[in-house]
Amino acid sequence: MTTFPKTSRRNFLKIAATAGGGLLIGFHWNSADASAMKVVGSMADDVNFNSYLSISPEGVITIFSPNPELGQNIKTSFPMVVAEELDADWSKVKVLQAPLDTKKFERQVTGGSGAIPHSWERLRKAGATARHLMIEAAAKRWSVPASSLTAENSFVIDKAGNRKLSYGELATEASKIALPKDVKLKDRKDFKLIGKSVRNVDNKDMFTGKPLYGMDFHREGMLTAMIQRPAFGMKLKSVDTAAAKAMPGIVDVVSFKNNVAVVGKSTWQIIKARKALKIEYEKEGAVESTSDHDKLFKELMTNGEATVRRKDGDVDAAFKSAAKVISREYQCPFLSHSPMEPMNFFAHVRADGVELVGPTQTPDRARMEVAKLLNMFPDNVTVQLTRLGGGFGRRLQADYALEAAELSSIIKAPVKVIWTREDDLTGGSYRPAVRYRFDAALDANGNLIGYKLRGVGINAGNCTREDNFPSGAVDNLLIDSVEHKSPITTGPWRAPITNFLAFAEQSFLDEVAMASKKDPVKFRLDLLDRAKSSPVGEIKYDIDRMKAVIQLAAEKSGWGTKKNLAQGFSVYFSHRSYVAQVAEVEMKKGKPALKKIYAAADCGIVVNMGGAKQQVMGGVVDGLGHAMFSNLTFKDGLPEQKNFNTYRLIKMKEIPEVECHFVDNGIDPTGLGEPALPPTGGAVANAYFKATGKRLYNQPFSLQEELKGVSLGEKL
């Protein structure tokens, strides 16, 4: 036990501890080691731990949640895991959002569906350690063996003696007990909280309009700014600021790099003043339009210098000997992330350091890039996280935080930079536009003997996932990619690359199954059996887990047994998890109506069933809406869609029924924020083909010739 006189985490510790003492347990996110400290007065000193679990004498359990919360429910799920092992009364659990602290937290990132997989065991050990100390403290007080006691609902119970003590009553005594070298974790059959549906801990504050988000943040004396940015491939040549500066409420107009910032006292005044700017731009490089991209795709698909990502067997020989060859191309547009809350960030640059406040998925990236920009030590930059009003990968970037910091350094004042919706749609970091070409070779018996995939992406990096299914199930396989460098900025978009690749692959495999005269579900299961019995090269996906979701989706949807309904199937592996989907389309008055989507997911142990269903349903709706409607086209380096009147998102009335099921295999949790999105487009397109006989090859579906005059949605 170590005693410390003061702390720099006062706000937390004032809540977590009281003058009567209490137990504070810190645990490393990378090692799950714990250390007990006696609380002195109402606070304790900083120690080199990455997070804290506290129990006050009043029995309040408080945990810092280090990961940014943007709707993936992590701020609720993390404490649920701790509370489960602690046998805590959930009504007494409080959660605080942690500020960025790289000395205390290992992974303060929201992205890649990785938070729960990373922290699962660490959180369990933290809760189990606290439970152990509570029981030991009660055993000493009662002079009984600890093995004769149990814990339940924030009490230690001695059933033989018919007595119990609350965690609050035991907290101070427990803090004096030596930590165990190891603790026993619960058997999952004994879980009482994990697997249940628990409401989001921020629900009340969100429903009552409490300030939670970056847009809510206000600091007395701060200024507000909006920035005019150039088209992609253009640079600032000149700007006439006189009219804007003369308008009411405007403090200054500042040019830096290619940006022109209007600084003022209110957003409405700034919006009006920004329209009064007279800006001239000139070319800095290529200025591209969507028509240019279409030509590039065609040229690079045939003549581009490809990077081989995976090659198994003799592909050329397989295609030469094939009885049948199927070749198809698929294309998707750039997409905006379009989170409900546009980009915003607060920065106050002082001589001794920088204070940053706002919604970011990668707070340490914001910190490090700001420190580099301003030539400061990273330790002199602090980042306070707000709740994020959506992100979908857009807030993995630090550009909007950098804008705020650079502007603050120029105007020598605290400032909050706010993007409008138009800024959000035209300001960059989009999902890359990609085209795929698939080729399949079948022998005389309909067996898949050759498979080729080429991906051409615009600022997409590797636009394939070369080790995903059906790799390993085909003797002769070639996967390669071609990259075009563009001035249009791109970045990760929910389920990066796989968000469209899955649609293309699963639609193509449906055609291949049809050409081989096999049921689409059986066709995939046969390939998986082949991969298991005679693997080709390295298998980097779990065959049994993929088979399990396929079989569950087929069972729950009644695959192939329903009359007057066209069913389409899709399955995909991403972010450690597996999701299979069946879409059902019914013809009504000659038009297809999307009735229902069944989703079967394997994400290991489900921590919060309500949150898990929301993630799966949200992924399905997101995947459906963007496959159907969303489209970002360019003219002379600028997006032609600048707001939601032209950039189409799915509407509430267009959402079909979504039914979720989960494979219960007892393995540790895997990702869930992204894996449900990729399979949706394929399931819907395959169901549409089953209903109409028409294939969909490009997104958005609504712009394809095959869908003109019809809608996928009964209520449209």
Side-chain angles (χ1 to χ4, degrees), residues 223-526:
L223 297 171
T224 302
M226 291 183 179
I227 295 175
Q228 188 65 40
R229 304 166 186 85
F232 298 102
M234 303 291 284
K235 67 178 180 179
L236 184 65
K237 183 179 180 181
S238 64
V239 57
D240 183 347
T241 64
K245 284 184 174 181
M247 295 179 74
I250 302 306
V251 175
D252 203 354
V253 179
V254 178
S255 298
F256 61 100
K257 295 190 171 76
N258 275 335
N259 301 318
V260 181
V262 180
V263 184
K265 298 178 180 179
S266 77
T267 55
W268 181 239
Q269 291 172 322
I270 293 168
I271 288 171
K272 290 194 292 183
R274 189 167 63 161
K275 291 178 181 178
L277 292 171
K278 296 176 182 178
I279 304 177
E280 187 178 356
Y281 296 103
E282 60 185 354
K283 281 190 177 183
E284 188 176 31
V287 179
E288 298 176 353
S289 300
T290 295
S291 57
D292 301 319
H293 298 151
D294 291 339
K295 292 174 185 176
L296 279 166
F297 278 135
K298 291 176 183 177
E299 173 65 22
L300 294 176
M301 185 61 74
T302 303
N303 302 316
E305 185 176 341
T307 300
V308 174
R309 302 296 178 176
R310 177 165 177 156
K311 187 176 183 180
D312 296 326
D314 190 336
V315 177
D316 291 339
F319 275 84
K320 285 179 182 178
S321 67
K324 183 182 288 188
V325 172
I326 303 100
S327 298
R328 298 290 183 265
E329 290 191 7
Y330 304 80
Q331 186 169 313
C332 70
F334 290 97
L335 289 182
S336 167
H337 295 79
S338 296
M340 184 176 292
E341 178 191 22
M343 301 305 105
N344 66 90
F345 228 78
F346 168 86
H348 188 188
V349 178
R350 308 177 308 272
D352 61 343
V354 182
E355 179 190 12
L356 300 175
V357 183
T360 171
Q361 293 177 242
T362 51
D364 193 44
R365 178 177 182 177
R367 168 178 169 264
M368 296 301 291
E369 291 192 16
V370 165
K372 182 179 180 181
L373 172 74
L374 300 177
N375 196 28
M376 286 189 172
F377 290 111
D379 285 352
N380 292 336
V381 181
T382 64
V383 182
Q384 178 65 51
L385 294 169
T386 63
R387 190 179 176 96
L388 288 65
F392 311 110
R394 178 61 182 90
R395 288 186 162 98
L396 291 169
Q397 311 297 329
D399 55 321
Y400 55 104
L402 285 166
E403 287 178 347
E406 187 164 8
L407 182 57
S408 176
S409 71
I410 294 170
I411 65 175
K412 309 298 182 186
V415 65
K416 181 177 176 181
V417 170
I418 296 177
W419 293 38
T420 64
R421 180 58 61 193
E422 287 81 1
D423 294 332
D424 184 61
L425 275 161
T426 61
S429 196
Y430 308 110
R431 181 189 77 171
V434 180
R435 178 178 287 184
Y436 294 110
R437 185 179 68 209
F438 291 82
D439 301 281
L442 301 177
D443 65 15
N445 296 318
N447 297 311
L448 182 61
I449 59 172
Y451 183 89
K452 291 192 291 185
L453 164 62
R454 170 164 291 184
V456 178
I458 299 177
N459 289 352
N462 176 14
C463 57
T464 73
R465 291 294 179 264
E466 63 271 14
D467 294 320
N468 278 9
F469 176 81
S471 294
V474 186
D475 290 336
N476 308 290
L477 175 142
L478 173 63
I479 296 177
D480 58 27
S481 66
V482 181
E483 172 81 341
H484 169 67
K485 296 294 184 182
S486 169
I488 298 172
T489 57
T490 63
W493 191 95
R494 191 176 187 180
I497 302 299
T498 63
N499 53 62
F500 180 74
L501 175 59
F503 152 72
E505 172 204 284
Q506 291 295 304
S507 297
F508 181 68
L509 288 179
D510 219 60
E511 284 205 59
V512 176
M514 185 177 179
S516 67
K517 296 181 170 56
K518 293 182 180 179
D519 173 82
V521 170
K522 187 177 188 308
F523 178 75
R524 290 166 173 83
L525 290 172
D526 287 347

Side-chain angles (χ1 to χ4, degrees), residues 61-130:
I61 300 162
T62 306
I63 185 172
F64 259 146
S65 182
N67 290 55
E69 172 61 78
L70 52 78
Q72 81 281 31
N73 209 47
I74 204 68
K75 196 175 175 183
T76 303
S77 297
F78 268 24
M80 282 180 67
V81 177
V82 176
E84 178 65 72
E85 290 291 347
L86 181 57
D87 278 310
D89 179 351
W90 179 251
S91 67
K92 295 183 178 179
V93 173
K94 295 189 180 298
V95 185
L96 297 178
Q97 177 67 60
L100 174 68
D101 193 330
T102 55
K103 294 179 180 178
K104 295 183 179 298
F105 304 106
E106 178 192 0
R107 186 185 187 278
Q108 285 187 274
V109 175
T110 291
S113 301
I116 286 289
H118 171 269
S119 300
W120 168 250
E121 186 175 347
R122 296 161 175 81
L123 294 165
R124 293 185 70 189
K125 285 184 176 180
T129 298

